[in-house]
Amino acid sequence: MSNYRIAARFAALFTTALATGLMSVPAWAVNEASGAAESNEEAIEQPIDATAGEAPDASAGPGESEEDDFNVIIVTGTVSGQSKFDTSYAITSLSNDALVQLAPLNTADLLGQIRGVYAEATGGEASNVYRVRGIPNEGSFYAFQEDGIPIYPESAGWFFTGDGITRTDLMTERFEAVIGGPAPVFATNASAIFNNVTRQGDDFLEGAVQTTIGDTGLFRGDAYLSGPLGENTYFAVGGFYRYHEGYRDNGYPSDEGGQARLNLRHEFDRLTIRAHAKYFNDRNTFYLPIPLADPRDPSRSLGEFVDFFEGTLNTPALADGNALFRFTDASGVIQEERRSLDDARRTEYFTTGLELDWDVTDTIRVVNRFRYTDGSVDFDAIYSSANPIDGDDFAASRLAAAQSAFGPDVVRLGYAIAGTGGTLAYDPDSDSGLVIPVDYRNIQSDWQSFQNDFRVTADFALLGDHELTLGVNFAHFETIASWRSNEYLFQVLSQPSPLDLVALDEGGNPLGFVTDDGVLRYSSTLLAGNSTVDQWDLYVADTWFITPDFSLEAGLRHTFYDGTGNFRAPAPFNLGDPTTLADDFALGFVGVDVPNAVDIENTSWTIGANWTVNDWLGLYARASRANRGPNEFNLILPFSGSTTTADQYEAGIKLRLATLSVFATAFYSEFDPFSSSIATTGDDGNIEFVDFVGSIQTPGVEVEFSWRPLDFFTFDGTVTYADAQLGNFTNVVEQSVLEADGNQPIRQPRFYGNLRPAFNFDIGGFDTTVFSRFNFVGRRFVDLANSTEMPAYETLAAGISIEKGPILVQLVGENLTNARGITEGNPRNDALFGQGASQVIYGRPLFGRNFRLTATYSF
């Protein structure tokens, strides 16, 4: 690790030094540049409408002309910028103005407004679930990029994903999403690319400050400033800071932190150099499922004990260092550590890089992007495990073990509030009559990566015009990881108290404890390891313009993945406390490291055609293959991985009329084989991974439209129908078959989308927009067997924005009707056969009605 770390840190220092050096470019270089050369970035910022001969506003928002939106220059999934109307794939581009009006709760909520993408935004700020066109991988089949290169090469690292380390703010110029199409060629392990395009600065000094407050205890500030630093040298700097009490009442703040980023750019005659740096430090609470109904009688709601909209199993009782973790190290020495649930998920990283864009000649262009990232995740959260259990039944199930440990004088087990030595008795029947086991997880990882993407593009004529690109991408990344869990026993209440289960004699005197300060089992999960990966990607792409209006496109990406890792093997130990059963089977390390290795190759490809029939009609067709190979989890954990292949076929139509524009795609996706590793809780309480292999086919249609019948009225929307169907799943170890033919994948709706009407007025010189967003999601299931349903739901959001000169004020309300939607069940326990009820009784609900007020001053 040392050689790479030294090289990476040297590269980071070099980047900083170069960025500083650009501030004092020699006079001869400035003179040679002559100030007249137009950089590639400027060409992107000033898109040319080939049909109208005008340069439309690239920051068109939902209330502006969709014709302009069709002409915004796209930079994702393409070698050189091209207008949205000319792309031969499904692309969505959202300007910063559009992002402000959409007002997403988090990155997943933003993705959920894009056609073809289903997202669950109910987990909080980070690591939510999102799926594209029925692809069931939850965040690991998609590339998140900033300015064309990812923050971290692996799309799903050790308990962090792209939505957790990427945020939009005022430094975001626009957000682009490529669905299918060329994504497998221009990114690794990607059936879609989500690209955060940042501000670069130009000849004009400009900026903005923004303040957001919300009735959920939200306070957020955004700012950016950009402009010239000298002749042909530009800067952009900005970021955000946010404090949030939370959408659910944890008893402690939910989110706190932010990011700051800097872009420096200098333009020579044919060369543009950009240096960039970003610091990210954010703490986010993770919201997990809550008990919704009594498993003894699913018709009985538990809402009076755990409120649907505000309730959570997060609790201040385990904040402030009140959670004790115990396990043995490789030498057999008992280790103890105090953890704090209110530390939540702390993600911190620093990333820096350098981009060179060189027009070698009028027909040859070289682009090189380098990025170095050093980061960490320290994650504390309450995870759901088993369903709530009748308090009497749970106590009875542990009585024999207590009598064996504490003697025949034990006649019964009683409950007490944890930490009181059994003196503060608790009767579950005074509340719901239920108790609930949960997992307190602490997950840690330290990671770093070095990436470099080099590409050469040449334009030449051969039976038409060609744009040929050859590229090589190299990534080296390393992770040191751990995962520890304590199993706790809780009340079925919001902000519950941990419970002790006390062994009592006939006089009610304590003789021992099944639990220890609420812990049912210390170190119920104990995993640790490390991984090191070298990844090479060789890619080629060609766009062949047979005529100016008809083109063929093709591309290949061949990936070499060479990874090694180690798994630190655990075994159960008795930690030796005779007063409790909680430490009798605590996992500890045994001093054995199990080596793992992954050495694979795969080839992704795409081929397509685009026909601009006339100024208002375009057609395209595309076929592509994406591969999702084994990753760092397969190097750190002791279970094998396989390569999932996603074949996608799509055909689309682009229509722009005077008052109506439509971008529609029919698609068919096939996953065969599709492998799924499902985490289950074994009889001993430890996490077990069960590998199933099957197939998934998804035919569907996705539509993005904008109708503008009146100057003051617009009606935008996206609609997706994705009929994902499972084949039978086979357990690769036991060869048992799970009958699932024709079923929907877990948590995947067939029908979803949004409708967004808006009214625009001028009231006394104030530009006023009244808008709403109606989101709809079809029914889903918590399990592969489709035995427990999550019903369809609809939500309504609305807002008003008022703009006068440089000041914009916006009020937005989310889930105004308090829709009672459920986005997931309990995947730790119910993914195979459901929850024993036809309707979900344990799940993660939508957030309740909430409001946010934003004020922006631009200059």
mmCIF file with all atom_site columns, all heavy atoms in Angstrom, residues 35 37 42 45-46 200-206 226-235 265 267:
data_model
loop_
_atom_site.group_PDB
_atom_site.id
_atom_site.type_symbol
_atom_site.label_atom_id
_atom_site.label_alt_id
_atom_site.label_comp_id
_atom_site.label_asym_id
_atom_site.label_entity_id
_atom_site.label_seq_id
_atom_site.pdbx_PDB_ins_code
_atom_site.Cartn_x
_atom_site.Cartn_y
_atom_site.Cartn_z
_atom_site.occupancy
_atom_site.B_iso_or_equiv
_atom_site.pdbx_formal_charge
_atom_site.auth_seq_id
_atom_site.auth_comp_id
_atom_site.auth_asym_id
_atom_site.auth_atom_id
_atom_site.pdbx_PDB_model_num
ATOM 1   N N   . GLY A 1 35  ? -6.032  35.186 -25.946 1.00 0.00 ? 35  GLY A N   1
ATOM 2   C CA  . GLY A 1 35  ? -7.333  35.505 -25.342 1.00 0.00 ? 35  GLY A CA  1
ATOM 3   C C   . GLY A 1 35  ? -8.503  35.235 -26.239 1.00 0.00 ? 35  GLY A C   1
ATOM 4   O O   . GLY A 1 35  ? -9.641  35.464 -25.876 1.00 0.00 ? 35  GLY A O   1
ATOM 5   N N   . ALA A 1 37  ? -8.943  32.181 -28.081 1.00 0.00 ? 37  ALA A N   1
ATOM 6   C CA  . ALA A 1 37  ? -9.280  30.767 -28.226 1.00 0.00 ? 37  ALA A CA  1
ATOM 7   C C   . ALA A 1 37  ? -10.462 30.418 -27.343 1.00 0.00 ? 37  ALA A C   1
ATOM 8   O O   . ALA A 1 37  ? -10.555 30.857 -26.210 1.00 0.00 ? 37  ALA A O   1
ATOM 9   C CB  . ALA A 1 37  ? -8.080  29.904 -27.854 1.00 0.00 ? 37  ALA A CB  1
ATOM 10  N N   . GLU A 1 42  ? -16.159 26.298 -22.687 1.00 0.00 ? 42  GLU A N   1
ATOM 11  C CA  . GLU A 1 42  ? -16.981 27.406 -23.163 1.00 0.00 ? 42  GLU A CA  1
ATOM 12  C C   . GLU A 1 42  ? -17.933 26.940 -24.240 1.00 0.00 ? 42  GLU A C   1
ATOM 13  O O   . GLU A 1 42  ? -19.071 27.380 -24.326 1.00 0.00 ? 42  GLU A O   1
ATOM 14  C CB  . GLU A 1 42  ? -16.081 28.527 -23.674 1.00 0.00 ? 42  GLU A CB  1
ATOM 15  C CG  . GLU A 1 42  ? -15.376 29.287 -22.551 1.00 0.00 ? 42  GLU A CG  1
ATOM 16  C CD  . GLU A 1 42  ? -14.388 30.303 -23.100 1.00 0.00 ? 42  GLU A CD  1
ATOM 17  O OE1 . GLU A 1 42  ? -13.756 30.016 -24.129 1.00 0.00 ? 42  GLU A OE1 1
ATOM 18  O OE2 . GLU A 1 42  ? -14.278 31.361 -22.503 1.00 0.00 ? 42  GLU A OE2 1
ATOM 19  N N   . GLU A 1 45  ? -20.797 25.435 -22.522 1.00 0.00 ? 45  GLU A N   1
ATOM 20  C CA  . GLU A 1 45  ? -21.646 26.382 -21.821 1.00 0.00 ? 45  GLU A CA  1
ATOM 21  C C   . GLU A 1 45  ? -22.479 27.231 -22.768 1.00 0.00 ? 45  GLU A C   1
ATOM 22  O O   . GLU A 1 45  ? -23.440 27.851 -22.371 1.00 0.00 ? 45  GLU A O   1
ATOM 23  C CB  . GLU A 1 45  ? -20.785 27.289 -20.945 1.00 0.00 ? 45  GLU A CB  1
ATOM 24  C CG  . GLU A 1 45  ? -20.181 26.550 -19.749 1.00 0.00 ? 45  GLU A CG  1
ATOM 25  C CD  . GLU A 1 45  ? -19.164 27.379 -19.023 1.00 0.00 ? 45  GLU A CD  1
ATOM 26  O OE1 . GLU A 1 45  ? -18.903 28.510 -19.478 1.00 0.00 ? 45  GLU A OE1 1
ATOM 27  O OE2 . GLU A 1 45  ? -18.625 26.909 -18.015 1.00 0.00 ? 45  GLU A OE2 1
ATOM 28  N N   . GLN A 1 46  ? -22.111 27.258 -24.062 1.00 0.00 ? 46  GLN A N   1
ATOM 29  C CA  . GLN A 1 46  ? -22.848 28.050 -25.035 1.00 0.00 ? 46  GLN A CA  1
ATOM 30  C C   . GLN A 1 46  ? -23.302 27.143 -26.173 1.00 0.00 ? 46  GLN A C   1
ATOM 31  O O   . GLN A 1 46  ? -22.750 27.184 -27.279 1.00 0.00 ? 46  GLN A O   1
ATOM 32  C CB  . GLN A 1 46  ? -21.973 29.187 -25.560 1.00 0.00 ? 46  GLN A CB  1
ATOM 33  C CG  . GLN A 1 46  ? -21.536 30.160 -24.466 1.00 0.00 ? 46  GLN A CG  1
ATOM 34  C CD  . GLN A 1 46  ? -20.603 31.213 -24.992 1.00 0.00 ? 46  GLN A CD  1
ATOM 35  O OE1 . GLN A 1 46  ? -20.486 31.404 -26.187 1.00 0.00 ? 46  GLN A OE1 1
ATOM 36  N NE2 . GLN A 1 46  ? -19.939 31.916 -24.098 1.00 0.00 ? 46  GLN A NE2 1
ATOM 37  N N   . GLN A 1 200 ? -17.604 26.077 -13.560 1.00 0.00 ? 200 GLN A N   1
ATOM 38  C CA  . GLN A 1 200 ? -16.192 26.219 -13.894 1.00 0.00 ? 200 GLN A CA  1
ATOM 39  C C   . GLN A 1 200 ? -15.699 27.663 -13.875 1.00 0.00 ? 200 GLN A C   1
ATOM 40  O O   . GLN A 1 200 ? -14.496 27.889 -13.831 1.00 0.00 ? 200 GLN A O   1
ATOM 41  C CB  . GLN A 1 200 ? -15.928 25.634 -15.285 1.00 0.00 ? 200 GLN A CB  1
ATOM 42  C CG  . GLN A 1 200 ? -16.331 24.185 -15.428 1.00 0.00 ? 200 GLN A CG  1
ATOM 43  C CD  . GLN A 1 200 ? -15.561 23.272 -14.491 1.00 0.00 ? 200 GLN A CD  1
ATOM 44  O OE1 . GLN A 1 200 ? -14.370 23.460 -14.295 1.00 0.00 ? 200 GLN A OE1 1
ATOM 45  N NE2 . GLN A 1 200 ? -16.247 22.320 -13.889 1.00 0.00 ? 200 GLN A NE2 1
ATOM 46  N N   . GLY A 1 201 ? -16.594 28.638 -13.909 1.00 0.00 ? 201 GLY A N   1
ATOM 47  C CA  . GLY A 1 201 ? -16.180 30.035 -13.954 1.00 0.00 ? 201 GLY A CA  1
ATOM 48  C C   . GLY A 1 201 ? -15.933 30.502 -15.377 1.00 0.00 ? 201 GLY A C   1
ATOM 49  O O   . GLY A 1 201 ? -15.509 29.730 -16.243 1.00 0.00 ? 201 GLY A O   1
ATOM 50  N N   . ASP A 1 202 ? -16.202 31.791 -15.624 1.00 0.00 ? 202 ASP A N   1
ATOM 51  C CA  . ASP A 1 202 ? -15.960 32.370 -16.945 1.00 0.00 ? 202 ASP A CA  1
ATOM 52  C C   . ASP A 1 202 ? -15.511 33.809 -16.764 1.00 0.00 ? 202 ASP A C   1
ATOM 53  O O   . ASP A 1 202 ? -14.982 34.181 -15.713 1.00 0.00 ? 202 ASP A O   1
ATOM 54  C CB  . ASP A 1 202 ? -17.218 32.268 -17.820 1.00 0.00 ? 202 ASP A CB  1
ATOM 55  C CG  . ASP A 1 202 ? -18.449 32.878 -17.161 1.00 0.00 ? 202 ASP A CG  1
ATOM 56  O OD1 . ASP A 1 202 ? -18.283 33.775 -16.302 1.00 0.00 ? 202 ASP A OD1 1
ATOM 57  O OD2 . ASP A 1 202 ? -19.580 32.471 -17.496 1.00 0.00 ? 202 ASP A OD2 1
ATOM 58  N N   . ASP A 1 203 ? -15.708 34.653 -17.788 1.00 0.00 ? 203 ASP A N   1
ATOM 59  C CA  . ASP A 1 203 ? -15.176 36.018 -17.758 1.00 0.00 ? 203 ASP A CA  1
ATOM 60  C C   . ASP A 1 203 ? -15.953 36.954 -16.839 1.00 0.00 ? 203 ASP A C   1
ATOM 61  O O   . ASP A 1 203 ? -15.543 38.098 -16.649 1.00 0.00 ? 203 ASP A O   1
ATOM 62  C CB  . ASP A 1 203 ? -15.169 36.607 -19.175 1.00 0.00 ? 203 ASP A CB  1
ATOM 63  C CG  . ASP A 1 203 ? -14.122 35.954 -20.056 1.00 0.00 ? 203 ASP A CG  1
ATOM 64  O OD1 . ASP A 1 203 ? -13.045 35.610 -19.523 1.00 0.00 ? 203 ASP A OD1 1
ATOM 65  O OD2 . ASP A 1 203 ? -14.378 35.762 -21.261 1.00 0.00 ? 203 ASP A OD2 1
ATOM 66  N N   . PHE A 1 204 ? -17.070 36.501 -16.308 1.00 0.00 ? 204 PHE A N   1
ATOM 67  C CA  . PHE A 1 204 ? -17.911 37.376 -15.497 1.00 0.00 ? 204 PHE A CA  1
ATOM 68  C C   . PHE A 1 204 ? -17.932 36.879 -14.053 1.00 0.00 ? 204 PHE A C   1
ATOM 69  O O   . PHE A 1 204 ? -18.148 35.693 -13.792 1.00 0.00 ? 204 PHE A O   1
ATOM 70  C CB  . PHE A 1 204 ? -19.335 37.422 -16.056 1.00 0.00 ? 204 PHE A CB  1
ATOM 71  C CG  . PHE A 1 204 ? -19.406 37.924 -17.468 1.00 0.00 ? 204 PHE A CG  1
ATOM 72  C CD1 . PHE A 1 204 ? -19.463 37.028 -18.525 1.00 0.00 ? 204 PHE A CD1 1
ATOM 73  C CD2 . PHE A 1 204 ? -19.388 39.283 -17.740 1.00 0.00 ? 204 PHE A CD2 1
ATOM 74  C CE1 . PHE A 1 204 ? -19.510 37.476 -19.831 1.00 0.00 ? 204 PHE A CE1 1
ATOM 75  C CE2 . PHE A 1 204 ? -19.434 39.738 -19.041 1.00 0.00 ? 204 PHE A CE2 1
ATOM 76  C CZ  . PHE A 1 204 ? -19.494 38.843 -20.092 1.00 0.00 ? 204 PHE A CZ  1
ATOM 77  N N   . LEU A 1 205 ? -17.727 37.803 -13.133 1.00 0.00 ? 205 LEU A N   1
ATOM 78  C CA  . LEU A 1 205 ? -17.798 37.469 -11.718 1.00 0.00 ? 205 LEU A CA  1
ATOM 79  C C   . LEU A 1 205 ? -19.269 37.321 -11.329 1.00 0.00 ? 205 LEU A C   1
ATOM 80  O O   . LEU A 1 205 ? -20.076 38.218 -11.564 1.00 0.00 ? 205 LEU A O   1
ATOM 81  C CB  . LEU A 1 205 ? -17.142 38.551 -10.875 1.00 0.00 ? 205 LEU A CB  1
ATOM 82  C CG  . LEU A 1 205 ? -17.069 38.271 -9.366  1.00 0.00 ? 205 LEU A CG  1
ATOM 83  C CD1 . LEU A 1 205 ? -16.119 37.107 -9.096  1.00 0.00 ? 205 LEU A CD1 1
ATOM 84  C CD2 . LEU A 1 205 ? -16.627 39.518 -8.615  1.00 0.00 ? 205 LEU A CD2 1
ATOM 85  N N   . GLU A 1 206 ? -19.608 36.189 -10.751 1.00 0.00 ? 206 GLU A N   1
ATOM 86  C CA  . GLU A 1 206 ? -20.982 35.949 -10.338 1.00 0.00 ? 206 GLU A CA  1
ATOM 87  C C   . GLU A 1 206 ? -20.995 35.021 -9.137  1.00 0.00 ? 206 GLU A C   1
ATOM 88  O O   . GLU A 1 206 ? -19.992 34.365 -8.820  1.00 0.00 ? 206 GLU A O   1
ATOM 89  C CB  . GLU A 1 206 ? -21.801 35.332 -11.472 1.00 0.00 ? 206 GLU A CB  1
ATOM 90  C CG  . GLU A 1 206 ? -21.313 33.959 -11.908 1.00 0.00 ? 206 GLU A CG  1
ATOM 91  C CD  . GLU A 1 206 ? -22.172 33.383 -13.025 1.00 0.00 ? 206 GLU A CD  1
ATOM 92  O OE1 . GLU A 1 206 ? -22.959 34.136 -13.621 1.00 0.00 ? 206 GLU A OE1 1
ATOM 93  O OE2 . GLU A 1 206 ? -22.064 32.177 -13.279 1.00 0.00 ? 206 GLU A OE2 1
ATOM 94  N N   . SER A 1 226 ? -17.823 32.538 -8.631  1.00 0.00 ? 226 SER A N   1
ATOM 95  C CA  . SER A 1 226 ? -17.011 32.143 -9.784  1.00 0.00 ? 226 SER A CA  1
ATOM 96  C C   . SER A 1 226 ? -16.695 33.367 -10.619 1.00 0.00 ? 226 SER A C   1
ATOM 97  O O   . SER A 1 226 ? -17.399 34.378 -10.577 1.00 0.00 ? 226 SER A O   1
ATOM 98  C CB  . SER A 1 226 ? -17.739 31.094 -10.632 1.00 0.00 ? 226 SER A CB  1
ATOM 99  O OG  . SER A 1 226 ? -18.871 31.654 -11.275 1.00 0.00 ? 226 SER A OG  1
ATOM 100 N N   . GLY A 1 227 ? -15.618 33.245 -11.393 1.00 0.00 ? 227 GLY A N   1
ATOM 101 C CA  . GLY A 1 227 ? -15.233 34.341 -12.260 1.00 0.00 ? 227 GLY A CA  1
ATOM 102 C C   . GLY A 1 227 ? -13.778 34.243 -12.674 1.00 0.00 ? 227 GLY A C   1
ATOM 103 O O   . GLY A 1 227 ? -13.125 33.208 -12.523 1.00 0.00 ? 227 GLY A O   1
ATOM 104 N N   . PRO A 1 228 ? -13.223 35.353 -13.192 1.00 0.00 ? 228 PRO A N   1
ATOM 105 C CA  . PRO A 1 228 ? -11.835 35.345 -13.655 1.00 0.00 ? 228 PRO A CA  1
ATOM 106 C C   . PRO A 1 228 ? -10.851 35.619 -12.513 1.00 0.00 ? 228 PRO A C   1
ATOM 107 O O   . PRO A 1 228 ? -11.148 36.352 -11.576 1.00 0.00 ? 228 PRO A O   1
ATOM 108 C CB  . PRO A 1 228 ? -11.817 36.482 -14.672 1.00 0.00 ? 228 PRO A CB  1
ATOM 109 C CG  . PRO A 1 228 ? -12.863 37.445 -14.161 1.00 0.00 ? 228 PRO A CG  1
ATOM 110 C CD  . PRO A 1 228 ? -13.925 36.606 -13.525 1.00 0.00 ? 228 PRO A CD  1
ATOM 111 N N   . LEU A 1 229 ? -9.674  34.988 -12.619 1.00 0.00 ? 229 LEU A N   1
ATOM 112 C CA  . LEU A 1 229 ? -8.563  35.279 -11.719 1.00 0.00 ? 229 LEU A CA  1
ATOM 113 C C   . LEU A 1 229 ? -7.477  36.083 -12.421 1.00 0.00 ? 229 LEU A C   1
ATOM 114 O O   . LEU A 1 229 ? -6.608  36.647 -11.771 1.00 0.00 ? 229 LEU A O   1
ATOM 115 C CB  . LEU A 1 229 ? -7.946  33.980 -11.187 1.00 0.00 ? 229 LEU A CB  1
ATOM 116 C CG  . LEU A 1 229 ? -8.715  33.265 -10.077 1.00 0.00 ? 229 LEU A CG  1
ATOM 117 C CD1 . LEU A 1 229 ? -8.052  31.940 -9.762  1.00 0.00 ? 229 LEU A CD1 1
ATOM 118 C CD2 . LEU A 1 229 ? -8.783  34.134 -8.826  1.00 0.00 ? 229 LEU A CD2 1
ATOM 119 N N   . GLY A 1 230 ? -7.518  36.088 -13.689 1.00 0.00 ? 230 GLY A N   1
ATOM 120 C CA  . GLY A 1 230 ? -6.544  36.775 -14.522 1.00 0.00 ? 230 GLY A CA  1
ATOM 121 C C   . GLY A 1 230 ? -6.872  36.424 -15.959 1.00 0.00 ? 230 GLY A C   1
ATOM 122 O O   . GLY A 1 230 ? -7.887  35.780 -16.243 1.00 0.00 ? 230 GLY A O   1
ATOM 123 N N   . GLU A 1 231 ? -6.017  36.818 -16.868 1.00 0.00 ? 231 GLU A N   1
ATOM 124 C CA  . GLU A 1 231 ? -6.299  36.555 -18.268 1.00 0.00 ? 231 GLU A CA  1
ATOM 125 C C   . GLU A 1 231 ? -6.305  35.058 -18.529 1.00 0.00 ? 231 GLU A C   1
ATOM 126 O O   . GLU A 1 231 ? -5.321  34.350 -18.265 1.00 0.00 ? 231 GLU A O   1
ATOM 127 C CB  . GLU A 1 231 ? -5.255  37.235 -19.159 1.00 0.00 ? 231 GLU A CB  1
ATOM 128 C CG  . GLU A 1 231 ? -5.631  37.208 -20.636 1.00 0.00 ? 231 GLU A CG  1
ATOM 129 C CD  . GLU A 1 231 ? -4.715  38.083 -21.466 1.00 0.00 ? 231 GLU A CD  1
ATOM 130 O OE1 . GLU A 1 231 ? -3.714  38.585 -20.924 1.00 0.00 ? 231 GLU A OE1 1
ATOM 131 O OE2 . GLU A 1 231 ? -5.000  38.251 -22.661 1.00 0.00 ? 231 GLU A OE2 1
ATOM 132 N N   . ASN A 1 232 ? -7.442  34.550 -18.989 1.00 0.00 ? 232 ASN A N   1
ATOM 133 C CA  . ASN A 1 232 ? -7.628  33.146 -19.341 1.00 0.00 ? 232 ASN A CA  1
ATOM 134 C C   . ASN A 1 232 ? -7.546  32.197 -18.140 1.00 0.00 ? 232 ASN A C   1
ATOM 135 O O   . ASN A 1 232 ? -7.364  30.997 -18.313 1.00 0.00 ? 232 ASN A O   1
ATOM 136 C CB  . ASN A 1 232 ? -6.611  32.709 -20.409 1.00 0.00 ? 232 ASN A CB  1
ATOM 137 C CG  . ASN A 1 232 ? -6.753  33.496 -21.690 1.00 0.00 ? 232 ASN A CG  1
ATOM 138 O OD1 . ASN A 1 232 ? -7.845  33.893 -22.067 1.00 0.00 ? 232 ASN A OD1 1
ATOM 139 N ND2 . ASN A 1 232 ? -5.628  33.752 -22.343 1.00 0.00 ? 232 ASN A ND2 1
ATOM 140 N N   . THR A 1 233 ? -7.674  32.720 -16.946 1.00 0.00 ? 233 THR A N   1
ATOM 141 C CA  . THR A 1 233 ? -7.663  31.890 -15.740 1.00 0.00 ? 233 THR A CA  1
ATOM 142 C C   . THR A 1 233 ? -8.950  32.141 -14.969 1.00 0.00 ? 233 THR A C   1
ATOM 143 O O   . THR A 1 233 ? -9.325  33.289 -14.745 1.00 0.00 ? 233 THR A O   1
ATOM 144 C CB  . THR A 1 233 ? -6.447  32.209 -14.859 1.00 0.00 ? 233 THR A CB  1
ATOM 145 O OG1 . THR A 1 233 ? -5.255  32.025 -15.611 1.00 0.00 ? 233 THR A OG1 1
ATOM 146 C CG2 . THR A 1 233 ? -6.400  31.284 -13.645 1.00 0.00 ? 233 THR A CG2 1
ATOM 147 N N   . TYR A 1 234 ? -9.600  31.056 -14.552 1.00 0.00 ? 234 TYR A N   1
ATOM 148 C CA  . TYR A 1 234 ? -10.929 31.167 -13.967 1.00 0.00 ? 234 TYR A CA  1
ATOM 149 C C   . TYR A 1 234 ? -11.031 30.289 -12.723 1.00 0.00 ? 234 TYR A C   1
ATOM 150 O O   . TYR A 1 234 ? -10.287 29.316 -12.563 1.00 0.00 ? 234 TYR A O   1
ATOM 151 C CB  . TYR A 1 234 ? -11.992 30.748 -14.986 1.00 0.00 ? 234 TYR A CB  1
ATOM 152 C CG  . TYR A 1 234 ? -11.851 31.449 -16.313 1.00 0.00 ? 234 TYR A CG  1
ATOM 153 C CD1 . TYR A 1 234 ? -11.130 30.847 -17.354 1.00 0.00 ? 234 TYR A CD1 1
ATOM 154 C CD2 . TYR A 1 234 ? -12.401 32.709 -16.520 1.00 0.00 ? 234 TYR A CD2 1
ATOM 155 C CE1 . TYR A 1 234 ? -10.977 31.492 -18.570 1.00 0.00 ? 234 TYR A CE1 1
ATOM 156 C CE2 . TYR A 1 234 ? -12.251 33.356 -17.740 1.00 0.00 ? 234 TYR A CE2 1
ATOM 157 C CZ  . TYR A 1 234 ? -11.528 32.751 -18.757 1.00 0.00 ? 234 TYR A CZ  1
ATOM 158 O OH  . TYR A 1 234 ? -11.362 33.394 -19.941 1.00 0.00 ? 234 TYR A OH  1
ATOM 159 N N   . PHE A 1 235 ? -11.982 30.633 -11.873 1.00 0.00 ? 235 PHE A N   1
ATOM 160 C CA  . PHE A 1 235 ? -12.190 29.861 -10.652 1.00 0.00 ? 235 PHE A CA  1
ATOM 161 C C   . PHE A 1 235 ? -13.675 29.719 -10.377 1.00 0.00 ? 235 PHE A C   1
ATOM 162 O O   . PHE A 1 235 ? -14.513 30.496 -10.849 1.00 0.00 ? 235 PHE A O   1
ATOM 163 C CB  . PHE A 1 235 ? -11.517 30.548 -9.458  1.00 0.00 ? 235 PHE A CB  1
ATOM 164 C CG  . PHE A 1 235 ? -12.332 31.679 -8.879  1.00 0.00 ? 235 PHE A CG  1
ATOM 165 C CD1 . PHE A 1 235 ? -13.136 31.482 -7.760  1.00 0.00 ? 235 PHE A CD1 1
ATOM 166 C CD2 . PHE A 1 235 ? -12.338 32.938 -9.482  1.00 0.00 ? 235 PHE A CD2 1
ATOM 167 C CE1 . PHE A 1 235 ? -13.905 32.521 -7.237  1.00 0.00 ? 235 PHE A CE1 1
ATOM 168 C CE2 . PHE A 1 235 ? -13.101 33.965 -8.977  1.00 0.00 ? 235 PHE A CE2 1
ATOM 169 C CZ  . PHE A 1 235 ? -13.888 33.765 -7.843  1.00 0.00 ? 235 PHE A CZ  1
ATOM 170 N N   . ARG A 1 265 ? -9.193  26.798 -13.489 1.00 0.00 ? 265 ARG A N   1
ATOM 171 C CA  . ARG A 1 265 ? -9.033  26.466 -14.906 1.00 0.00 ? 265 ARG A CA  1
ATOM 172 C C   . ARG A 1 265 ? -8.206  27.525 -15.611 1.00 0.00 ? 265 ARG A C   1
ATOM 173 O O   . ARG A 1 265 ? -8.393  28.724 -15.371 1.00 0.00 ? 265 ARG A O   1
ATOM 174 C CB  . ARG A 1 265 ? -10.411 26.353 -15.573 1.00 0.00 ? 265 ARG A CB  1
ATOM 175 C CG  . ARG A 1 265 ? -10.350 25.842 -16.994 1.00 0.00 ? 265 ARG A CG  1
ATOM 176 C CD  . ARG A 1 265 ? -11.728 25.692 -17.608 1.00 0.00 ? 265 ARG A CD  1
ATOM 177 N NE  . ARG A 1 265 ? -12.171 26.898 -18.290 1.00 0.00 ? 265 ARG A NE  1
ATOM 178 C CZ  . ARG A 1 265 ? -13.100 27.711 -17.853 1.00 0.00 ? 265 ARG A CZ  1
ATOM 179 N NH1 . ARG A 1 265 ? -13.698 27.479 -16.694 1.00 0.00 ? 265 ARG A NH1 1
ATOM 180 N NH2 . ARG A 1 265 ? -13.454 28.777 -18.555 1.00 0.00 ? 265 ARG A NH2 1
ATOM 181 N N   . GLU A 1 267 ? -6.702  28.467 -19.624 1.00 0.00 ? 267 GLU A N   1
ATOM 182 C CA  . GLU A 1 267 ? -6.810  28.145 -21.041 1.00 0.00 ? 267 GLU A CA  1
ATOM 183 C C   . GLU A 1 267 ? -5.602  28.686 -21.793 1.00 0.00 ? 267 GLU A C   1
ATOM 184 O O   . GLU A 1 267 ? -5.309  29.886 -21.738 1.00 0.00 ? 267 GLU A O   1
ATOM 185 C CB  . GLU A 1 267 ? -8.099  28.739 -21.619 1.00 0.00 ? 267 GLU A CB  1
ATOM 186 C CG  . GLU A 1 267 ? -9.351  28.196 -20.958 1.00 0.00 ? 267 GLU A CG  1
ATOM 187 C CD  . GLU A 1 267 ? -10.603 28.931 -21.396 1.00 0.00 ? 267 GLU A CD  1
ATOM 188 O OE1 . GLU A 1 267 ? -10.472 29.841 -22.255 1.00 0.00 ? 267 GLU A OE1 1
ATOM 189 O OE2 . GLU A 1 267 ? -11.683 28.625 -20.882 1.00 0.00 ? 267 GLU A OE2 1
#
